[in-house]
Amino acid sequence: MIPLTLDPWNGWILDDDGFLKDPAGNAFLPSDLNASFWARQLLQEQLEHPAPYAP
């Protein structure tokens, strides 16, 4: 089977195993993307509300 190519995504593809692959060949599962999303959300929350200074 030929991988589904997402033309608007400039070389990113979905392969037969369910991986999203970037043009450099790195592969990501949906759980990897989910973890990245929540890590970014946490970082943004911390930047908006920094923890109090503790000497």
Side-chain angles (χ1 to χ4, degrees):
M1 179 181 261
I2 298 172
L4 172 65
T5 302
L6 303 173
D7 294 332
W9 287 21
N10 298 322
W12 288 71
I13 63 166
L14 292 171
D15 71 5
D16 291 335
D17 296 323
F19 286 95
L20 176 63
K21 291 189 176 180
D22 66 10
N26 300 306
F28 306 94
L29 284 172
S31 58
D32 299 331
L33 301 174
N34 225 2
S36 295
F37 172 79
W38 288 114
R40 178 67 178 121
Q41 292 292 100
L42 179 61
L43 176 62
Q44 186 63 39
E45 181 69 23
Q46 292 299 313
L47 291 174
E48 291 175 2
H49 305 286
Y53 176 74

